Amino acid sequence: MSDRAATPKTASERPPTRRRRSRYEGDVPREHYLNVAYGLKSWLFTIDHKRIAILYLLSITAFFALGGLMAVFIRLELLTPAGDLMTSEIYNRVFTLHGVLMVFFFLIPSIPAVFGNFFLPMMVGAKDMAFPRLNLASWYIYSLGGVFTLAAIVAGGVDTGWTFYTPYSSTYSNSAVALTAIGVFINGFSSIFTGLNFIVTIHKMRAPGMTWMRLPLFVWANYAAALIMILGTPVVAMAIFLVAVERLFGVGIFDPALGGDPILYQHLFWFYSHPAVYIMILPSMGVMSEVIACFSRKRIFGYGFIAASSLAIATVGFLVWGHHMFVSGQSIYASMVFSVLTMLVAVPSAVKVFNWLATLWRGSISFETPMLYAFGFLGLFTVGGLTGLYLGTLATDVHLHDTYFIVAHFHYIMVGGAVMGYLAAVHFWWPKMTGRMYSEWWGRLSAGLLFIGFNLTFFPQFLMGYMGMPRRYHFYPEEWQVLNVLSTAGASILGLGYLIPIIYLTYSLRYGPIAGPNPWRATGLEWTTASPPPQHNFEQTPVVTEEPYDYSKPIVNDLPAPGAGAEPKPSPAAPRS
Amino acid sequence: MNGSQLPPLLPPSASTISGELDLLFAYITAVSLFFTVAIAIGLGVLAFLYRRKAGDPIPKQIHGNTALELVWTGIPVLIVLSFFFWGTDLFFRMRTPPADPLEIFVVGKQWMWKIQHQEGPREINELHMPVGQPVKLTMTSEDVIHSFSVPAFRVKQDVLPGRYTTMWFEATKTGTYHLFCTEYCGTEHAGMMGRIIVMEPNEYQAWLGGGGGESLTAAGERLFSQLGCATCHGDQAGARGPALAGLYGTDVQLGTGGAVTADEAYLRESITEPAAKVVAGYDVIMPTFLGQVSEEGILQLIAYIRSLGTTTEPSEPAATTVEEADSE
Ligand code: HEM
Ligand SMILES: [Cu+2]
Ligand SMILES: [Cu+2]
């Protein structure tokens, strides 16, 4: 590349010749990670991080679909104030299953286990994770946890809510709590192993020249998330395990009737589960940095601040769990400290948003599907983060705690933020993972539908919450029906928005145009290799000599994506002044 | 909006703190709206101005700007601190009952609220109270955690098994308001709804009078002799247990050294778990009454023991510290 005579003068210029394009145009058979071996065995015993990522992709999609189905039932039930669609026993099992599947089996693994697994080694220039076998083991552990949870459904379901509050869960619930608890406990280890793999890989496997300050921000974000995974997960795993122990053997830990302390459970649970919300959002934030830089052709603004804010969030995030317990009977002085720390942990998130906006400034922005998802993320995450401040503020939280306001807040963050980021990642890296382009038109349509459907579903819930509607209510006073109907209407649009990508992405696997190695002309080592990548990622170990996100230099493998987006013809006239 | 089909978008505001809480909410909303709109407009404007056009030059690569970073870190810090200070100040007032509140006792159980008034009346899923007078609830649960929530008053407090929590509010308007359980407590959680009925003080007095039943103290006294407490806690010298008259609100010297204030939490523990804190100079001979007397019964016993305190001068109502002490 370096011997190329002139660096390109315009953002949309296509320096490589037509001749190189033809190399990818036909379906030239070439060996890559997908076709090195076929058959079920070659997948189930693979230790290739890319194949493991695909295994995760399939499993989390299945759990997402099941969790989504539960959401359909919830929204249908709440269409009318009376509990007329199902009994309370069933409704409680439905929302519990929804939460457990979405949080533990979809969102926590989502970006790290799929895109972290696939791209983290490639981004640091490595052949694989540090511990490939452990990596495969973590998928099996995840699946085993899933099997236990599914078994719990068959055994009659579980009705404690995803938070498993004691002593309801440990003593009173007549449902398959122990099975589910063991499922979640087992699943925790897959998180711990993934986190461990990430940290060791980032420390030990970086290609020559890949210094810490040259790491893509996606890697930084996953590094921060991995720290939380290994430091926090053991605590929640133990807490939930203790619930099972108290339930099965009557050991008094949380139930006051047995001499235990129910609040202790809440401390243990939130000590992990607050940081866990950052396991969900940090990797999404990493995706934002990649996508926004690429589609505005700009180095990310404030690289160091974005990287540092991830670490700040991961550390301070461990000190704010008590904000879930402001009305639990916790000391008001403890609440005061948790409140001020909560306020402070919100600031690094705001800093990231400002830096992303500043990245757009004087860029050359195009609006392909991943970028639309990124914009969606920015809008929804902003609302989610700001509403967190109402909850971090002591007085207002008293009124809003355990109402639909909370439900709206965390869906704005976890679905509006984290899932939008996940879908941005899917659309950004799909061509790399599969070698094919999906339909841009359908992609943009579903991004739009999701944004509209999401707001229609969850915005009314802020209003319901302020009116006082408690969460986890099977039936409710009539005055809230209008808002609930709006919410259910939005949810149907949202559901459609999730279905469409499943269809066009699957379709693209066979019929999508060949993507070529770098359809978005992005920087980053993963784009310097073929799509789909060869089994060992790179033909030779890459040597890094450049800063990250340097969009001023010629882009390696710079080839237009067939059919992707509007590619303005380079016009020699009128360079913008 | 009232006449039309659309329901109101704000809950009724009917307590001394609800107005200020709404104001604080409005303040945070104003700031949030400002930032949401600013970010949305910023995003729109940037996306429009810098949309890719044919022949765009390669954008100048900008690394960042430390001064700018400090500004957009510093300003949010100041703003969130303003939320924090106002929110904490109001919260402390919401948690500290004024002197001489009307005391009412609440026991939550799957799936109902049982309410006892000092004067005797008991009710289920309904709480009658006077307007313009602070009301303090002392609450506990017979089984799982519940939460007592009155949106019109903007208050909420979890109700825990095995210990007391308290909350207080003062209604400013008569009327009927929702009472919800807001901590998920099992199958009929959504059915644990009730009503708060705020009445003029004279109506409330009339209602109390009509309620009948023996007063809380009288019920406690009856239990006290039924359970045989009096055999050890008689007034005569040389009784096997300490005299309870004048106990409430004083500092009790413990056998292990140290002292503890005799508040509701302490009295409850003395009955359910006598060995936990033993009075100096006495042996652990008192049996536990856990399971032999209901949570309501314990509340009655406490009311009775408190009434004995009137012979000596009771110190400050210790109740304000109950909720602080109970979950450290
Ligand atoms: C931007 C800063 C944020 C602040 C200030 C904040 C604040 C809060 C507070 C104070 C609560 C507790 C409210 C209550 O229970 O009364 C809460 C609940 C919650 N937040 Fe956030 N939050 C923030 C970001 C996030 C993020 C990034 C996520 C997830 C990715 C998240 C997910 C949740 C969830 C799941 C709950 C409810 C848990 C439950 O009770 O089921 N929040 N948030
Ligand atoms: Cu939290
Ligand atoms: Cu409840």
Side-chain angles (χ1 to χ4, degrees):
Chain A
M1 293 259 101
S2 50
D3 59 350
R4 198 187 290 144
T7 53
K9 298 286 181 317
T10 70
S12 52
E13 194 179 330
R14 298 264 152 278
T17 56
R18 288 268 135 200
R19 184 164 30 86
R20 281 194 56 200
R21 181 175 190 173
S22 61
R23 215 174 107 196
Y24 303 103
E25 237 165 18
D27 228 333
V28 186
R30 182 181 59 78
E31 198 177 69
H32 52 69
Y33 81 105
L34 290 170
N35 66 9
V36 282
Y38 292 96
L40 197 60
K41 251 180 145 176
S42 76
W43 284 92
L44 293 184
F45 295 110
T46 182
I47 51 170
D48 180 352
H49 65 104
K50 299 184 286 304
R51 284 188 162 217
I52 296 171
I54 302 290
L55 292 177
Y56 265 115
L57 179 66
L58 295 175
S59 358
I60 68 165
T61 307
F63 281 116
F64 180 73
L66 193 56
L69 185 67
M70 295 303 124
V72 171
F73 292 140
I74 297 175
R75 283 316 326 162
L76 283 179
E77 173 63 83
L78 295 180
L79 206 48
T80 55
D84 38 19
L85 187 66
M86 49 188 119
T87 63
S88 293
E89 275 91 356
I90 295 186
Y91 181 79
N92 296 344
R93 281 163 171 76
V94 165
F95 76 67
T96 301
L97 194 58
H98 170 72
V100 168
L101 294 181
M102 288 303 201
V103 170
F104 295 111
F105 292 94
F106 170 69
L107 205 48
I108 288 182
S110 63
I111 296 184
V114 178
F115 298 100
N117 247 333
F118 201 110
F119 290 108
L120 197 133
M122 298 183 71
M123 285 177 160
V124 302
K127 283 198 179 104
D128 205 318
M129 285 285 187
F131 308 117
R133 282 185 182 77
L134 187 69
N135 200 15
L136 179 64
S138 75
W139 179 73
Y140 275 103
I141 294 170
Y142 166 85
S143 306
L144 186 68
V147 167
F148 268 87
T149 307
L150 295 179
I153 305 176
V154 178
V158 57
D159 72 344
T160 59
W162 74 280
T163 44
F164 300 103
Y165 267 24
T166 54
Y168 182 68
S169 62
S170 60
T171 309
Y172 290 85
S173 167
N174 284 315
S175 63
V177 180
L179 264 181
T180 319
I182 293 170
V184 172
F185 173 75
I186 296 174
N187 181 38
F189 285 90
S190 98
S191 228
I192 296 172
F193 292 159
T194 302
L196 195 70
N197 237 330
F198 281 11
I199 289 184
V200 178
T201 307
I202 296 169
H203 273 274
K204 290 292 179 201
M205 310 275 287
R206 282 171 287 131
M210 180 53 89
T211 58
W212 284 90
M213 294 314 275
R214 284 178 182 167
L215 287 175
L217 286 165
F218 181 74
V219 175
W220 271 110
N222 276 287
Y223 184 80
L227 283 178
I228 303 175
M229 289 181 197
I230 52 180
L231 294 177
T233 318
V235 178
V236 78
M238 284 321 297
I240 293 181
F241 185 68
L242 290 178
V243 169
V245 168
E246 177 163 299
R247 228 184 133 75
L248 296 174
F249 307 112
V251 183
I253 303 163
F254 303 124
D255 185 355
L258 302 170
D261 181 352
I263 298 291
L264 173 64
Y265 173 81
Q266 296 181 19
H267 282 291
L268 295 175
F269 180 82
W270 289 115
F271 179 79
Y272 163 78
S273 291
H274 180 79
V277 306
Y278 293 114
I279 300 181
M280 309 178 210
I281 200 73
L282 279 169
S284 258
M285 293 169 155
V287 174
M288 283 307 104
S289 300
E290 303 298 318
V291 169
I292 289 176
C294 171
F295 291 92
S296 48
R297 318 299 312 159
K298 284 244 340 257
R299 188 184 205 276
I300 201 88
F301 191 93
Y303 171 93
F305 285 90
I306 294 192
S309 66
S310 290
L311 293 181
I313 287 175
T315 346
V316 185
F318 270 109
L319 305 176
V320 302
W321 76 89
H323 65 212
H324 297 270
M325 300 169 61
F326 289 154
V327 304
S328 70
Q330 161 177 278
S331 146
I332 55 177
Y333 301 101
S335 292
M336 187 173 92
V337 175
F338 283 124
S339 170
V340 74
L341 289 170
T342 301
M343 294 299 179
L344 296 181
V345 82
V347 173
S349 301
V351 168
K352 283 182 196 268
V353 171
F354 297 141
N355 277 297
W356 291 322
L357 283 179
T359 303
L360 298 177
W361 183 59
R362 298 183 137 188
S364 167
I365 305 169
S366 66
F367 303 95
E368 277 86 22
T369 311
M371 189 63 156
L372 293 190
Y373 278 110
F375 281 7
F377 174 102
L378 280 177
L380 301 178
F381 178 73
T382 300
V383 175
L386 286 167
T387 51
L389 297 172
Y390 293 80
L391 307 174
T393 304
L394 288 169
T396 38
D397 182 65
V398 170
H399 178 53
L400 300 170
H401 175 74
D402 269 339
T403 66
Y404 263 84
F405 195 96
I406 303 288
V407 178
H409 156 71
F410 69 71
H411 281 87
Y412 263 84
I413 301 258
M414 306 209 300
V415 182
V419 179
M420 281 296 204
Y422 172 76
L423 288 173
V426 170
H427 289 86
F428 188 54
W429 281 306
W430 187 262
K432 175 56 61 182
M433 298 168 83
T434 66
R436 303 277 184 163
M437 294 306 294
Y438 48 84
S439 155
E440 184 60 27
W441 190 86
W442 284 103
R444 291 180 185 187
L445 179 80
S446 73
L449 280 181
L450 281 173
F451 186 79
I452 295 167
F454 180 87
N455 280 302
L456 192 54
T457 310
F458 291 105
F459 196 81
Q461 298 187 358
F462 283 125
L463 306 177
M464 286 177 217
Y466 197 67
M467 302 264 297
M469 177 164 167
R471 66 194 277 209
R472 298 175 173 174
Y473 260 34
H474 175 213
F475 41 90
Y476 55 88
E478 276 174 14
E479 62 249 42
W480 296 325
Q481 184 171 15
V482 175
L483 292 169
N484 274 290
V485 170
L486 281 180
S487 185
T488 300
S492 17
I493 302 179
L494 194 60
L496 193 65
Y498 287 125
L499 277 181
I500 295 175
I502 295 186
I503 298 170
Y504 66 73
L505 288 175
T506 314
Y507 180 86
S508 80
L509 287 177
R510 211 184 158 87
Y511 303 104
I514 304 292
N518 193 357
W520 315 119
R521 301 183 306 117
T523 62
L525 291 178
E526 79 270 30
W527 301 106
T528 62
T529 189
S531 307
Q535 194 181 7
H536 295 297
N537 297 348
F538 303 99
E539 306 294 348
Q540 308 111 11
T541 305
V543 177
V544 183
T545 54
E546 288 172 4
E547 306 216 308
Y549 310 109
D550 191 346
Y551 280 97
S552 66
K553 297 246 178 62
I555 304 291
V556 180
N557 278 330
D558 187 348
L559 275 176
E567 286 294 348
K569 296 261 145 37
S571 101
R576 193 163 60 210
S577 51
Chain B
M1 271 225 223
N2 275 338
S4 75
Q5 289 300 91
L6 280 181
L9 284 181
L10 286 180
S13 164
S15 79
T16 47
I17 56 104
S18 56
E20 184 177 344
L21 197 140
D22 285 350
L23 205 62
L24 173 57
F25 189 90
Y27 168 56
I28 305 178
T29 305
V31 173
S32 301
L33 260 182
F34 171 80
F35 275 98
T36 312
V37 170
I39 288 173
I41 291 182
L43 193 63
V45 167
L46 288 169
F48 178 77
L49 280 183
Y50 302 111
R51 68 190 185 282
R52 186 163 313 157
K53 295 194 262 312
D56 268 2
I58 296 230
K60 188 163 160 267
Q61 302 297 307
I62 305 162
H63 281 222
N65 182 326
T66 308
L68 205 54
E69 301 279 354
L70 292 181
V71 169
W72 67 39
T73 309
I75 292 177
V77 166
L78 294 180
I79 292 176
V80 297
L81 284 181
S82 74
F83 297 167
F84 165 75
F85 283 116
W86 187 355
T88 305
D89 176 56
L90 179 55
F91 177 71
F92 274 51
R93 281 180 279 136
M94 289 162 76
R95 300 293 302 140
T96 317
D100 276 334
L102 173 71
E103 293 204 43
I104 299 178
F105 301 87
V106 177
V107 176
K109 69 169 269 197
Q110 288 175 324
W111 290 278
M112 63 171 80
W113 296 107
K114 297 190 286 187
I115 288 153
Q116 305 187 67
H117 297 257
Q118 287 277 13
E119 292 76 2
R122 303 199 201 173
E123 37 187 345
I124 286 184
N125 290 346
E126 283 197 347
L127 172 72
H128 287 77
M129 59 176 278
V131 69
Q133 186 180 348
V135 172
K136 182 182 150 209
L137 306 183
T138 300
M139 309 185 290
T140 188
S141 162
E142 273 177 27
D143 37 48
V144 301
I145 302 178
H146 303 277
S147 192
F148 194 97
S149 158
V150 187
F153 298 166
R154 314 284 189 272
V155 291
K156 174 179 294 135
Q157 172 63 48
D158 283 4
V159 177
L160 306 171
R163 68 177 68 148
Y164 292 128
T165 52
T166 60
M167 71 194 292
W168 80 274
F169 39 77
E170 179 178 336
T172 52
K173 278 184 206 142
T174 57
T176 302
Y177 307 106
H178 284 301
L179 157 65
F180 295 117
C181 173
T182 48
E183 184 62 67
Y184 175 69
C185 57
T187 311
E188 289 297 317
H189 169 57
M192 212 166 145
M193 288 191 239
R195 302 192 302 161
I196 306 284
I197 298 147
V198 179
M199 319 161 88
E200 291 297 343
N202 52 347
E203 290 172 28
Y204 176 68
Q205 285 308 327
W207 177 84
L208 278 181
E214 65 189 329
S215 76
L216 214 55
T217 326
E221 185 168 11
R222 193 168 43 78
L223 266 178
F224 198 78
S225 59
Q226 257 174 26
L227 293 167
C229 314
T231 54
C232 299
H233 292 290
D235 277 338
Q236 70 280 24
R240 296 204 286 162
L244 300 181
L247 169 64
Y248 182 75
T250 58
D251 283 346
V252 179
Q253 299 301 318
L254 298 182
T256 51
V260 57
T261 307
D263 53 18
E264 281 88 349
Y266 170 76
L267 295 183
R268 182 182 188 285
E269 191 186 52
S270 294
I271 298 169
T272 57
E273 219 182 316
K277 297 197 180 83
V278 180
V279 183
Y282 289 90
D283 292 330
V284 193
I285 49 164
M286 173 167 161
T288 171
F289 287 86
L290 191 67
Q292 298 181 38
V293 48
S294 67
E295 287 295 345
E296 287 145 300
I298 297 178
L299 282 168
Q300 292 160 0
L301 284 170
I302 292 175
Y304 170 64
I305 297 173
R306 281 179 63 175
S307 75
L308 298 173
T310 47
T311 49
T312 57
E313 180 57 32
S315 55
E316 271 286 280
T320 51
T321 59
V322 173
E323 74 272 22
E324 270 77 80
D326 57 21
S327 69
E328 239 67 10

